[in-house]
Short mmCIF file of all heavy atoms in Angstrom, two decimals:
data_model
loop_
_atom_site.label_atom_id
_atom_site.label_comp_id
_atom_site.label_asym_id
_atom_site.label_seq_id
_atom_site.Cartn_x
_atom_site.Cartn_y
_atom_site.Cartn_z
N MET J 538 134.53 108.28 122.50
CA MET J 538 134.05 106.93 122.19
C MET J 538 132.73 107.00 121.44
O MET J 538 132.49 106.26 120.48
CB MET J 538 133.85 106.13 123.48
CG MET J 538 135.08 105.36 123.89
SD MET J 538 134.84 104.60 125.49
CE MET J 538 133.77 103.25 125.07
N VAL J 539 131.87 107.92 121.92
CA VAL J 539 130.59 108.11 121.24
C VAL J 539 130.81 108.50 119.79
O VAL J 539 130.20 107.97 118.87
CB VAL J 539 129.73 109.15 121.99
CG1 VAL J 539 128.57 109.60 121.14
CG2 VAL J 539 129.25 108.60 123.31
N ASP J 540 131.75 109.46 119.60
CA ASP J 540 132.07 109.90 118.24
C ASP J 540 132.50 108.71 117.38
O ASP J 540 132.08 108.57 116.23
CB ASP J 540 133.20 110.93 118.27
CG ASP J 540 132.69 112.30 118.68
OD1 ASP J 540 131.46 112.49 118.57
OD2 ASP J 540 133.49 113.14 119.11
N ILE J 541 133.35 107.86 117.97
CA ILE J 541 133.86 106.72 117.21
C ILE J 541 132.72 105.78 116.84
O ILE J 541 132.57 105.38 115.68
CB ILE J 541 134.93 105.99 118.04
CG1 ILE J 541 136.17 106.86 118.14
CG2 ILE J 541 135.26 104.64 117.40
CD1 ILE J 541 137.15 106.41 119.18
N PHE J 542 131.89 105.45 117.82
CA PHE J 542 130.80 104.51 117.53
C PHE J 542 129.79 105.11 116.57
O PHE J 542 129.18 104.41 115.78
CB PHE J 542 130.11 104.08 118.83
CG PHE J 542 130.75 102.87 119.42
CD1 PHE J 542 131.82 102.98 120.28
CD2 PHE J 542 130.30 101.60 119.08
CE1 PHE J 542 132.42 101.87 120.79
CE2 PHE J 542 130.89 100.49 119.58
CZ PHE J 542 131.97 100.61 120.45
N TYR J 543 129.64 106.45 116.65
CA TYR J 543 128.73 107.13 115.76
C TYR J 543 129.21 106.99 114.31
O TYR J 543 128.43 106.96 113.37
CB TYR J 543 128.66 108.59 116.16
CG TYR J 543 127.70 109.42 115.37
CD1 TYR J 543 126.33 109.32 115.60
CD2 TYR J 543 128.16 110.30 114.40
CE1 TYR J 543 125.45 110.07 114.86
CE2 TYR J 543 127.27 111.06 113.66
CZ TYR J 543 125.93 110.94 113.90
OH TYR J 543 125.05 111.69 113.17
N CYS J 544 130.52 106.87 114.17
CA CYS J 544 131.15 106.86 112.86
C CYS J 544 131.20 105.46 112.25
O CYS J 544 131.41 105.31 111.05
CB CYS J 544 132.56 107.39 113.00
SG CYS J 544 133.04 108.44 111.68
N ILE J 545 131.03 104.43 113.08
CA ILE J 545 131.12 103.07 112.55
C ILE J 545 129.89 102.77 111.72
O ILE J 545 128.77 102.90 112.20
CB ILE J 545 131.24 102.05 113.70
CG1 ILE J 545 132.59 102.23 114.40
CG2 ILE J 545 131.11 100.63 113.18
CD1 ILE J 545 132.78 101.32 115.56
N PRO J 546 130.06 102.41 110.45
CA PRO J 546 128.89 102.12 109.61
C PRO J 546 128.25 100.80 110.05
O PRO J 546 128.83 99.73 109.88
CB PRO J 546 129.47 102.00 108.20
CG PRO J 546 130.94 101.85 108.37
CD PRO J 546 131.33 102.22 109.74
N SER J 547 127.08 100.89 110.64
CA SER J 547 126.52 99.69 111.29
C SER J 547 125.96 98.69 110.28
O SER J 547 126.15 97.50 110.43
CB SER J 547 125.47 100.08 112.31
OG SER J 547 124.56 100.99 111.76
N MET J 548 125.26 99.20 109.24
CA MET J 548 124.66 98.27 108.28
C MET J 548 125.72 97.39 107.60
O MET J 548 125.58 96.16 107.60
CB MET J 548 123.87 99.07 107.24
CG MET J 548 122.92 98.23 106.45
SD MET J 548 121.57 97.66 107.51
CE MET J 548 120.71 96.59 106.42
N PRO J 549 126.79 97.98 107.05
CA PRO J 549 127.82 97.12 106.45
C PRO J 549 128.37 96.10 107.43
O PRO J 549 128.57 94.94 107.09
CB PRO J 549 128.90 98.11 106.03
CG PRO J 549 128.19 99.37 105.80
CD PRO J 549 127.08 99.41 106.81
N ILE J 550 128.59 96.54 108.67
CA ILE J 550 129.17 95.61 109.64
C ILE J 550 128.20 94.47 109.92
O ILE J 550 128.59 93.29 110.00
CB ILE J 550 129.57 96.38 110.91
CG1 ILE J 550 130.87 97.09 110.62
CG2 ILE J 550 129.72 95.44 112.09
CD1 ILE J 550 131.47 97.82 111.73
N LEU J 551 126.92 94.79 109.99
CA LEU J 551 125.93 93.73 110.22
C LEU J 551 125.88 92.77 109.03
O LEU J 551 125.72 91.57 109.21
CB LEU J 551 124.55 94.34 110.45
CG LEU J 551 124.40 94.99 111.82
CD1 LEU J 551 123.15 95.84 111.86
CD2 LEU J 551 124.36 93.94 112.90
N ILE J 552 126.04 93.33 107.83
CA ILE J 552 126.03 92.46 106.65
C ILE J 552 127.23 91.53 106.67
O ILE J 552 127.12 90.33 106.43
CB ILE J 552 126.00 93.30 105.36
CG1 ILE J 552 124.67 94.04 105.26
CG2 ILE J 552 126.19 92.42 104.14
CD1 ILE J 552 124.59 95.00 104.12
N ILE J 553 128.41 92.09 107.01
CA ILE J 553 129.61 91.25 107.06
C ILE J 553 129.42 90.13 108.09
O ILE J 553 129.67 88.96 107.82
CB ILE J 553 130.83 92.09 107.46
CG1 ILE J 553 131.14 93.12 106.37
CG2 ILE J 553 132.04 91.20 107.69
CD1 ILE J 553 132.18 94.11 106.79
N LEU J 554 128.93 90.51 109.28
CA LEU J 554 128.75 89.50 110.32
C LEU J 554 127.70 88.47 109.91
O LEU J 554 127.86 87.28 110.17
CB LEU J 554 128.36 90.17 111.64
CG LEU J 554 129.49 91.00 112.26
CD1 LEU J 554 129.00 91.74 113.47
CD2 LEU J 554 130.65 90.10 112.64
N GLY J 555 126.65 88.97 109.23
CA GLY J 555 125.61 88.04 108.77
C GLY J 555 126.19 87.01 107.81
O GLY J 555 125.94 85.81 107.92
N ALA J 556 127.03 87.50 106.88
CA ALA J 556 127.65 86.57 105.92
C ALA J 556 128.56 85.59 106.65
O ALA J 556 128.62 84.41 106.31
CB ALA J 556 128.46 87.36 104.88
#
Side-chain angles (χ1 to χ4, degrees):
Chain J
M538 269 173 75
V539 166
D540 282 341
I541 290 166
F542 270 87
Y543 183 75
C544 220
I545 292 178
S547 49
M548 196 69 186
I550 282 184
L551 286 167
I552 293 174
I553 295 171
L554 291 175

